[in-house]
Amino acid sequence: MIRRFPNPFFWLPAGLLAGVLNCATGAEPFWPAAERYSPAVPTLEQVLGYPPGARISSTRQIRDYFEALHAASPERLALRDYGKTWEGRTLFYAVIGSRGNIARLNDIQRQMQALADPAATDAAAAARLIANLPASVWLAYGVHGNEISSPDAALLLAYHLLAAEGDSVVDGILASTLVFIVPSQNPDGRDRFVHHYEISRGLVPDPDRYSAEHDEPWPGGRTNHYQFDLNRDWLALSQPEIAAQVAALNEWYPLIFVDLHEMGSDSTYYFTPEAVPYNPLITARQRENLVLVGRNNARWFDRLGIDYFTREVFDAFYPGYGASWPLYYGALAMTYEQASARGLIVRRADGREMAYAETVRNHFLSSLATAETAGRERRRLLQDFYDYRSKNAGGGDEAYLLDAAPDPAITGRLAALLGRHGIRLSRAGQPFTACGRSFAAGSYKAGLGQPARRLIETLLAPNIEMEAEFIAEQERRRAKRLEHEIYDVTAWSLPQLYGVDAVRCGRIAGADWSPAAIVTEPPAGGLQNEAAKLAWLVPWNYAAAHLLSRALAAGLVIDGSDKAFVHDGRNYPAGTLIVKRAANGSDVATRLTALAAETGAETIGVDHGWVDQGPNFGSEHVHRFTAPRIALAYDEPTAAPGHTRFILEREFGYPVSAIRTATLKSADLDRYQVLILPSTSFFRGDYGTVLGKDGAALLKAWTGRGGTLIFLGNATNFAADPNYGLMALRREKAYREKSEDEKKAAPPAGQTAGKNATQAAEQLQEPLVDGTLIADHDAYLKATLARDVPPDEMPGAIVRAVPDPDHWLAAGARNPLNVLLRGDAIFQPLSLDQGVNAVRFAAADDMLASGYLWSENRRQLAYKPFVAIQPEGRGFYIAFTTDPNDRAYLKGLNILFINAVFRAPAHTAVIH
């Protein structure tokens, strides 16, 4: 029996069918090169009861269909599980190829590992491997759960590759390529969207964008369980969905990686090549090959009359996307973007109705065209991969050195992260000197003479420059109040984000280096003097913060010193923990031993409390920690409260109560000691719209009774709004130099400006105004500057901040700190009668650590607060003016946040 491909779009209204398929009658096959389909391979309709594009498939349905395909064609399709989501859904990929290639999958994997290692595989051996290895393309669908069409396109692609007969394109792909299909990178988010859609849909699909089926409730399906944008987790690898995929990529090294997305409904289709700026560590050959892929995509889209665009919007500068990260092991990587229906049909701004089936078709088409390119260019791609890694491995004796001082635990965490990226490190067994500075024992070396050299450079270099022409164009646009074209952050140096000193050095001798290897875990801590008679001291740092949170969650009694002290000739920093034997059970040493090993914290037993300098253990400068009950605002208007929840729950092991924001207006907050208001979403309003003045008054009263109210990022706008009567902070307008005339018109200091304001308002109503002279273009730009607006939005740079060494909120913080700065909020500092600016931004000339920052913002931000604390009755307001928990990769700021969460309640007289 020969079966033509069933028209999957029969259910569409007749007027839409031509727009979907360019074949109104359905007489032509869906794929122009396909002649027939094998009846031995089950269709989507036979397994799930609907044709492609007629429903939005859940992850359970997706898995069921792949299981059915595997049962029908086990010799041509393999299924591999590679991880679990937070909600327990299985992450898997399918591999489709010829019978011969599927039968030797394990051999292919070993041979790709050999090809990736030029130290073990010389050019002649590589040539033999290249002659017999298939190309490989990794198609990763649905990283954003509400970008819905690509997972259904994955189903259609798998069917087509297995069932199509007499199709030269498919025959060529299967003969020379392995096609890896990850049908859903974010199953939790996708099922959240599908559930919303199914409970919202009506009798027929509604194209109206205001309809409930197109209007997702918070938090939407874009993100995973902890509201992480998984497409931004490729540097931090904090989430299981991406960490597990990176591990799988490092097993297979596919030659082409495609991340398939959706964008606004009024757009068309985007594919490679990317927009400028390109990361300078991407090679010219990779850029040539990206064009090669794009050209073949364009050939098929042109053939079917489908609109598309390239070289706009989506750049290749930031390496933390799925569409970027594989470039740095030597592959090609790219983003494809389809205009989204966000349902089964949507009405575009031009009046045309776009069906879901059309969006599925387009992603199917680009996927197949890319696989065709991979097969056709098999030898070229394999040779380029080997050449890339060979040239990297010839990087010489230079290396990045990661200093273990002053906090070996956080350096160890960074080393383990680099190991997950596939980077080999050596560890120093003793202190050493290199490049004119000393390094502690336990420091790490990332040698640049390894295939991952370009990945090491892009992750560890203090700064990656954007093209000068691109920067000049952004400054030109900004001068005209046009939106800048920087797509994401301009800085991401992992050592800076972790607060680890990294130095690029030449040949390094001595230090008793361990053999270069993949680091999998940071070094464990230990307990010194298990039989201590009085107490154990834990010097305050990143590892100690982990020990504190876990110890409090486990019920241990912990004290902490606000001031530094000297005990038995050893210096202990401010914030040092004191675990007294008498205050805890008889098993305290055993429990501390386990906690020290788990967290990496140094724990020193002492037999007496006499100190040589500083406060004794019974001083008023020593405070007892409580185990605070923590509430976190959840639901609208928050953006990603899950980042903060993830850090507390998954990294620091401390439970959090997520409270819907509207509930805070009526909840009995006295059961909590800490309340955190995370950053808000631009699209979801602000805390004022949800809580109102009455809610703000309740928060103020609760804080006054001893609560700790923490504002993160733009939640500080709510704290600083005088309409709500909370903090004395005030947000600034953009600073603008006044002209001489404006200075003359300004009222004397201390005098009201009311009269001048009235005169100015009256002048605006006059048909004629005073004449002016504009001498040159610079004067013209100054004359056209907008008045009374916020500073220009900052796209993301790493800046330096300076902690106040005298305040307990800054205990353990490095000087300077590195802060990832985004947004447009700048705040006036608190005066000493209002509170303390516990961390301020550095001077303008010393502020920028990495990335690009508008010069006006840099000058205005200098000496302004990053962290401010203000007393309210017996409690505290604490404001972080930019979010320290953003994307969970600012490890160097964790200690400040932990101080706010645990030290502040220890300083309040809370009685509940």
Side-chain angles (χ1 to χ4, degrees):
M1 174 183 175
I2 295 177
R3 183 180 65 208
R4 297 188 67 80
F5 189 81
N7 177 5
F9 307 109
F10 71 91
W11 59 273
L12 289 174
L16 289 178
L17 189 54
V20 175
L21 292 181
N22 287 327
C23 51
T25 65
E28 294 298 322
F30 175 62
W31 174 250
E35 296 180 1
R36 58 189 177 273
Y37 288 81
S38 168
V41 180
T43 67
L44 192 74
E45 189 167 13
Q46 288 171 335
V47 176
L48 300 181
Y50 54 88
R55 294 277 299 273
I56 304 168
S57 301
S58 70
T59 60
R60 180 67 263 173
Q61 291 167 319
I62 290 170
R63 180 67 186 234
D64 287 346
Y65 188 58
F66 272 96
E67 294 280 4
L69 292 178
H70 178 256
S73 304
E75 74 287 355
R76 291 186 296 148
L77 182 150
L79 291 179
R80 298 275 178 94
D81 295 342
Y82 67 93
K84 291 275 190 184
T85 71
W86 290 119
E87 296 176 14
R89 293 178 176 87
T90 299
L91 299 160
F92 75 96
Y93 58 84
V95 193
I96 297 177
S98 67
R99 288 174 172 82
N101 283 335
I102 294 300
R104 64 183 186 112
L105 270 184
N106 291 337
D107 287 340
I108 291 171
Q109 184 176 354
R110 284 193 294 269
Q111 290 168 5
M112 279 303 298
Q113 290 290 326
L115 193 68
D117 185 3
T121 306
D122 61 20
R128 290 192 295 270
L129 291 172
I130 290 169
N132 294 297
L133 275 170
S136 50
V137 57
W138 188 283
L139 302 168
Y141 298 97
V143 72
H144 296 141
N146 61 358
E147 297 180 1
I148 50 179
S149 57
S150 67
D152 274 308
L155 304 180
L156 185 55
L157 175 69
Y159 172 80
H160 184 76
L161 290 175
L162 293 172
E165 296 178 342
D167 183 345
S168 60
V169 173
V170 170
D171 292 343
I173 291 170
L174 295 179
S176 56
T177 309
L178 285 178
V179 179
F180 292 81
I181 298 173
V182 181
S184 177
Q185 300 176 77
N186 181 9
D188 293 351
R190 181 172 182 84
D191 280 351
R192 193 182 311 130
F193 178 88
V194 171
H195 174 71
H196 144 72
Y197 184 79
E198 291 297 331
I199 66 173
S200 302
R201 62 181 299 184
L203 179 63
V204 295
D206 191 342
D208 189 341
R209 295 193 206 188
Y210 289 120
S211 65
E213 62 195 65
H214 290 283
D215 185 11
E216 288 182 83
W218 186 96
R222 178 180 177 89
T223 57
N224 77 340
H225 176 80
Y226 279 105
Q227 289 105 48
F228 277 77
D229 181 337
L230 295 177
N231 196 36
R232 270 76 175 173
D233 195 50
W234 288 75
L235 293 186
L237 303 184
S238 68
Q239 302 304 295
E241 296 91 341
I242 301 304
Q245 187 169 187
V246 163
L249 291 171
N250 279 329
E251 291 174 353
W252 287 101
Y253 292 118
L255 302 175
I256 295 179
F257 178 100
V258 185
D259 202 9
L260 293 98
H261 289 257
E262 287 186 340
M263 53 187 165
S265 301
D266 297 318
S267 192
T268 57
Y269 197 97
Y270 164 84
F271 49 73
T272 193
E274 287 68 30
V276 294
Y278 273 77
N279 189 306
L281 291 165
I282 299 171
T283 68
R285 182 66 166 184
Q286 286 174 311
R287 294 183 65 170
E288 288 176 19
N289 288 343
L290 290 170
V291 173
L292 204 71
V293 174
R295 281 189 177 277
N296 194 50
N297 290 352
R299 181 172 68 91
W300 282 105
F301 274 61
D302 288 343
R303 179 172 175 177
L304 295 179
I306 302 169
D307 289 333
Y308 58 88
F309 66 97
T310 65
R311 299 185 181 89
E312 297 179 53
V313 184
F314 306 104
D315 66 43
F317 182 65
Y318 176 57
Y321 309 125
S324 298
W325 184 88
L327 286 160
Y328 303 97
Y329 71 68
L332 302 182
M334 58 208 78
T335 291
Y336 293 170
E337 298 266 355
Q338 163 64 47
S340 180
R342 285 296 196 275
L344 290 179
I345 192 167
V346 68
R347 184 176 298 112
R348 295 158 49 99
D350 61 8
R352 187 173 75 85
E353 292 186 351
M354 180 175 63
Y356 181 55
E358 179 181 349
T359 68
V360 171
R361 184 276 312 270
N362 290 351
H363 268 323
F364 161 77
L365 180 65
S366 65
S367 299
L368 201 59
T370 303
E372 180 188 29
T373 303
R376 190 177 61 209
E377 304 294 339
R378 182 190 69 83
R379 281 185 172 271
R380 173 186 177 122
L381 295 174
L382 285 164
Q383 187 66 56
D384 286 352
F385 173 75
Y386 178 75
D387 291 346
Y388 177 97
R389 295 182 70 83
S390 297
K391 291 174 183 176
N392 281 354
D397 296 320
E398 286 192 303
Y400 278 91
L401 300 175
L402 307 176
D403 198 352
D407 193 340
I410 199 167
T411 306
R413 291 281 182 110
L414 176 56
L417 172 61
L418 296 177
R420 293 198 296 278
H421 279 283
I423 294 168
R424 303 175 71 84
L425 302 172
S426 301
R427 190 165 184 256
Q430 60 191 34
F432 65 97
T433 300
C435 289
R437 61 162 289 171
S438 298
F439 291 84
S443 296
Y444 292 89
K445 176 176 67 174
L448 291 176
Q450 60 179 296
R453 177 174 66 86
R454 287 176 181 265
L455 180 60
I456 294 170
E457 292 275 21
T458 199
L459 296 182
L460 300 186
N463 191 47
I464 302 292
E465 297 282 351
M466 289 185 287
E467 299 162 10
E469 296 84 356
F470 177 77
I471 290 298
E473 173 62 10
Q474 304 320 299
E475 292 287 4
R476 184 194 71 80
R477 293 177 62 84
R478 193 167 63 92
K480 298 183 67 175
R481 300 291 293 176
L482 298 174
E483 187 176 357
H484 68 74
E485 297 168 317
I486 299 173
Y487 193 75
D488 206 274
V489 299
T490 65
W492 56 82
S493 171
L494 288 179
Q496 291 179 355
L497 296 178
Y498 272 64
V500 171
D501 289 337
V503 179
R504 197 177 195 272
C505 229
R507 184 185 294 271
I508 302 108
D512 187 25
W513 293 105
S514 65
I518 299 295
V519 177
T520 57
E521 295 290 340
L527 188 73
Q528 302 174 29
N529 188 11
E530 185 175 345
K533 296 176 181 177
L534 182 70
W536 291 268
L537 306 180
V538 188
W540 187 241
N541 55 21
Y542 175 82
H546 278 268
L547 185 143
L548 172 64
S549 63
R550 285 171 167 77
L552 291 176
L556 289 178
V557 177
I558 312 287
D559 295 328
S561 177
D562 287 349
K563 294 184 176 295
F565 60 89
V566 180
H567 185 281
D568 280 348
R570 171 167 176 164
N571 294 315
Y572 289 87
T576 293
L577 306 179
I578 305 166
V579 187
K580 298 175 182 175
R581 181 181 284 278
N584 291 282
S586 58
D587 63 345
V588 60
T590 301
R591 298 170 74 185
L592 270 182
T593 298
L595 286 169
E598 177 185 354
T599 62
E602 183 185 18
T603 308
I604 305 105
V606 297
D607 297 325
H608 63 84
W610 181 259
V611 299
D612 305 316
Q613 296 177 35
N616 291 93
F617 300 165
S619 166
E620 66 177 6
H621 297 295
V622 174
H623 295 264
R624 176 149 295 179
F625 290 96
T626 61
R629 291 185 294 276
I630 301 171
L632 174 71
Y634 203 69
D635 210 328
E636 294 182 348
T638 65
H643 294 195
T644 295
R645 190 180 186 185
F646 166 80
I647 287 173
L648 286 170
E649 290 186 345
R650 298 293 179 172
E651 295 200 341
F652 283 86
Y654 202 87
V656 175
S657 295
I659 311 295
R660 298 201 184 277
T661 309
T663 303
L664 296 175
K665 294 187 293 186
S666 57
D668 176 14
L669 295 180
D670 285 341
R671 68 182 67 190
Y672 309 104
Q673 287 74 50
V674 176
L675 171 60
I676 303 169
L677 300 187
S679 291
T680 58
S681 167
F682 173 80
F683 303 102
R684 301 290 187 181
D686 55 34
Y687 285 108
T689 59
V690 175
L691 297 175
K693 291 186 177 181
D694 290 343
L698 288 173
L699 296 182
K700 182 182 181 74
W702 169 81
T703 306
R705 294 194 296 274
T708 297
L709 181 53
I710 300 173
F711 304 92
L712 301 180
N714 61 11
T716 304
N717 297 345
F718 172 63
D721 189 331
N723 289 309
Y724 300 110
L726 298 173
M727 294 190 72
L729 284 172
R730 292 295 178 265
R731 189 176 172 188
E732 295 185 348
K733 302 173 184 175
Y735 176 76
R736 185 173 64 87
E737 292 281 357
K738 291 183 171 60
S739 67
E740 291 302 318
D741 289 342
E742 288 174 317
K743 291 177 182 177
K744 292 175 183 177
Q751 182 176 318
T752 178
K755 182 177 179 181
N756 297 77
T758 301
Q759 291 172 342
E762 290 173 351
Q763 188 179 27
L764 288 174
Q765 306 302 317
E766 295 179 2
L768 297 175
V769 298
D770 293 338
T772 60
L773 294 177
I774 299 177
D776 53 31
H777 189 256
D778 287 343
Y780 164 73
L781 292 177
K782 188 172 181 180
T784 57
L785 284 174
R787 272 76 167 170
D788 297 335
V789 296
D792 286 344
E793 187 267 335
M794 296 170 279
I798 298 175
V799 299
R800 298 184 181 93
V802 179
D804 181 346
D806 295 318
H807 200 280
W808 50 262
L809 189 55
R814 297 201 64 183
N815 185 8
L817 282 166
N818 293 318
V819 179
L820 183 65
L821 186 69
R822 293 201 288 176
D824 61 5
I826 298 175
F827 295 86
Q828 291 181 346
L830 294 175
S831 59
L832 291 177
D833 60 323
Q834 295 169 332
V836 176
N837 306 293
V839 186
R840 63 163 175 84
F841 291 108
D845 292 342
D846 192 41
M847 179 180 297
L848 187 61
S850 183
Y852 192 79
L853 185 63
W854 315 128
S855 59
E856 297 89 345
N857 294 68
R858 179 167 49 82
R859 292 195 301 270
Q860 186 173 347
L861 192 67
Y863 296 98
K864 301 296 169 58
F866 165 48
V867 185
I869 180 168
Q870 176 181 320
E872 176 65 43
R874 295 200 303 268
F876 295 106
Y877 300 123
I878 301 176
F880 290 79
T881 60
T882 187
D883 191 347
N885 301 330
D886 187 26
R887 298 183 183 175
Y889 57 11
L890 290 154
K891 304 300 185 196
L893 300 182
N894 281 174
I895 201 160
L896 284 177
F897 179 63
I898 292 300
N899 282 342
V901 169
F902 292 110
R903 290 191 184 276
H907 285 75
T908 62
V910 184
I911 302 173
H912 294 322

